[in-house]
Amino acid sequence: MKGAQRLTKASLLAALGVSVALSGCSQEPASGGSDGNAGGGNGPKVKLVFWSHQAEAFNDNYKKLIDSYMKAHPNVEISYQSFPYDVYNQKLKASFSAQNPPDIAEVFGTWVPEYSKNGLLSEVPGGEEAGKAYYEAPLGGFKWNGKLYGLPLEFNIENGGMLAHPQMFKDKRLAYPPKTWTELVESAKALTVRDGSGMKVKGFDFISGDNITFTFLSMILQQNGKYWASDGHVNFQTPEAVKAMTALKDLVVRDQVTDLTAFGGQLDSSDYFFKGGAAMTYRGPWTIAAGLDNYKAKDFEYVPVPSFTDNPPSFAAESGWGLVVSKKSKASKEAWDFIQFLSSKENLKAWNLGTFTVPAKKEVAEDPEFVSKNPFMRTSVGLLPHGQWIGLIWDRDYFFKQINDHFQLMVSGKVTVENGLKAIEKAVNENQDQHK
């Protein structure tokens, strides 16, 4: 989950030329809303409290839309507050527990089931029809028992695209970009550079806290396999799961196109790429803006990762950032009216462009203007129909940690792929059962 690793205003200006309006941000307690009727103009005064995590691009674009909404609805005041990512989730939980939540809250889709399951959220008005406008993957986390409890703002995709240095391919006279999985592996081997101290340039780096898991799941799906059983448990003992994990292990042990030396360190795998430490790095499109801003990089592209098989490049994705309304809010009509305003095609397109995020709404992603204004998104936008929701994972961090920890044991030879997958399955399913 990219979480706090968001981009700055400077990166957006450099990448897109999008101007962002700045305004003040109050820090007052959640009010739980106030009485009033939906609609703008001269209705009764209504005050809404809106919380989000702190991310400059997000915050700036929220403020711009809030100002626009309040100008058209002079009876509505929206008090917008943002909090550091590291404390935001716990602060939000505490506010709901104390029955004093904000009217509107920005949430990561993976968090939502805990709230919707416990009846803490307001349903989206006309939810079934509203949901048809979005891709399946970003919408999944906002659903509970067939009802919709929030609207996603972005498609949180970590699959299907990779950072690549075309000049490295040219220097080796390799076809660019690779069109098949076999081509990718062979190119990665040719592009890997070693010296006396180890691996100087990784041919294909997929080693990160997110991408080991996401790549594993995508390779199962690309074999037309499944990883969920009917009882809410995972099933990682299928032939497809074994083949996928074996292929990932082989990239490290047999093909030696990457290693684990930087795993768990302070820098992201994309940082090493932009420093010239990898020819190809499997990472989400959010890393593009970080490269443009932090490294002033110009010698890279974001290109498709070939499917593991001849099937389409199917992948699993978490539901990313979106907006919900507290059931405690006394102004839920106004709260949803603002969210629907923000979620209109033109406003959401501006928000996605301004935050360098992939659209969750189909009509935004399919609008040629979106890619024309941000060509770096072309690869990701083309993949969106192949995505599916990752599924109901109650403890996201635990799920990913089990896969990452056991992958390291498999690579080191301490456990076999088969036994490692059994151990992951057992641990994850026991954790899932704790939430039943």
Side-chain angles (χ1 to χ4, degrees):
M1 179 176 64
K2 47 192 174 291
Q5 300 186 66
R6 290 298 186 181
L7 28 148
T8 66
K9 183 183 177 188
S11 66
L12 299 171
L13 294 174
L16 304 173
V18 176
S19 61
V20 181
L22 292 171
S23 64
C25 178
S26 64
Q27 287 290 335
E28 57 188 80
S31 70
S34 59
D35 291 310
N37 299 314
N42 300 313
K45 283 288 185 181
V46 175
K47 182 175 182 180
L48 298 172
V49 174
F50 174 15
W51 284 6
S52 82
H53 80 297
Q54 283 179 0
E56 186 178 356
F58 276 41
N59 303 157
D60 291 347
N61 282 274
Y62 281 139
K63 292 172 188 175
K64 186 176 181 180
L65 287 164
I66 287 169
D67 288 344
S68 178
Y69 183 82
M70 289 196 299
K71 184 176 181 180
H73 300 76
N75 65 308
V76 179
E77 177 189 349
I78 301 176
S79 173
Y80 174 60
Q81 303 158 50
S82 64
F83 304 92
Y85 175 79
D86 292 342
V87 303
Y88 179 57
N89 191 14
Q90 292 305 316
K91 184 173 181 64
L92 201 59
K93 287 180 180 179
S95 74
F96 275 90
S97 178
Q99 300 188 45
N100 189 32
D103 299 280
I104 302 168
E106 178 199 64
V107 291
F108 201 76
T110 308
W111 305 346
V112 178
E114 198 68 51
Y115 293 97
S116 51
K117 172 188 175 184
N118 290 298
L120 299 174
L121 302 178
S122 167
E123 287 184 47
V124 176
E128 183 175 352
E129 191 62 30
K132 294 177 182 178
Y134 295 84
Y135 291 103
E136 174 195 352
L139 203 66
F142 293 89
K143 289 183 176 179
W144 183 259
N145 287 338
K147 296 180 180 179
L148 188 59
Y149 290 92
L151 292 179
L153 299 174
E154 61 157 353
F155 196 125
N156 185 47
I157 182 173
E158 293 287 347
N159 283 99
M162 63 182 175
L163 302 162
H165 286 296
Q167 187 61 45
M168 291 187 181
F169 282 78
K170 186 176 180 180
D171 291 345
K172 293 283 186 177
R173 297 182 180 179
L174 297 169
Y176 176 83
K179 300 296 185 184
T180 67
W181 185 260
T182 299
E183 274 188 31
L184 183 148
V185 175
E186 292 305 311
S187 295
K189 289 193 285 189
L191 291 163
T192 301
V193 178
R194 296 175 182 80
D195 59 18
S197 61
M199 200 171 288
K200 186 177 179 181
V201 178
K202 299 175 182 180
F204 177 62
D205 191 12
F206 65 94
I207 304 297
S208 74
D210 284 345
N211 280 79
I212 293 171
T213 295
F214 281 122
T215 308
F216 171 55
L217 299 181
S218 72
M219 291 165 77
I220 294 173
L221 297 174
Q222 288 164 16
Q223 297 175 74
N224 291 328
K226 297 179 180 179
Y227 57 87
W228 285 110
S230 59
D231 58 357
H233 284 178
V234 295
N235 180 6
F236 288 147
Q237 297 185 54
T238 63
E240 293 86 1
V242 172
K243 185 175 181 179
M245 188 59 81
T246 300
L248 291 183
K249 175 185 174 182
D250 285 347
L251 287 171
V252 181
V253 177
R254 184 190 67 190
D255 303 318
Q256 297 184 7
V257 299
T258 188
D259 59 30
L260 303 178
T261 53
F263 186 48
Q266 292 296 314
L267 295 179
D268 186 75
S269 57
S270 60
D271 291 300
Y272 291 104
F273 171 85
F274 290 118
K275 288 172 175 283
M280 298 178 280
T281 295
Y282 203 174
R283 212 66 176 100
W286 60 274
T287 57
I288 297 167
L292 295 170
D293 183 43
N294 299 337
Y295 294 96
K296 313 302 179 189
K298 297 180 180 178
D299 61 338
F300 76 97
E301 294 179 354
Y302 195 75
V303 298
V305 174
S307 174
F308 183 55
T309 67
D310 292 332
N311 297 321
S314 304
F315 64 93
E318 295 176 277
S319 298
W321 293 108
L323 300 177
V324 298
V325 173
S326 166
K327 198 168 184 178
K328 295 282 292 183
S329 173
K330 298 176 183 178
S332 61
K333 289 183 180 180
E334 291 84 358
W336 280 119
D337 190 64
F338 168 71
I339 292 173
Q340 288 162 351
F341 166 83
L342 193 156
S343 301
S344 67
K345 180 185 175 182
E346 292 306 315
N347 285 338
L348 193 52
K349 180 169 64 176
W351 191 90
N352 288 132
L353 286 169
T355 57
F356 213 102
T357 50
V358 180
K361 201 169 191 178
K362 295 175 184 177
E363 64 177 349
V364 177
E366 294 167 358
D367 186 343
E369 185 183 26
F370 179 79
V371 169
S372 72
K373 287 191 172 182
N374 188 351
F376 280 110
M377 287 291 182
R378 187 177 304 278
T379 290
S380 295
V381 166
L383 290 162
L384 302 187
H386 300 297
Q388 66 180 56
W389 181 42
I390 194 171
L392 183 56
I393 300 171
W394 286 110
D395 189 333
R396 188 263 188 203
D397 292 342
Y398 186 82
F399 182 97
F400 277 64
K401 187 176 188 300
Q402 291 304 308
I403 293 176
N404 290 336
D405 288 353
H406 286 89
F407 179 72
Q408 294 176 77
L409 294 175
M410 296 176 211
V411 166
S412 68
K414 293 180 180 178
V415 299
T416 64
V417 167
E418 290 79 3
N419 287 339
L421 289 173
K422 287 179 183 178
I424 295 169
E425 180 182 300
K426 182 176 184 295
V428 168
N429 288 339
E430 286 177 353
N431 184 265
Q432 290 283 99
D433 287 342
Q434 293 175 18
H435 295 270
K436 287 184 177 179

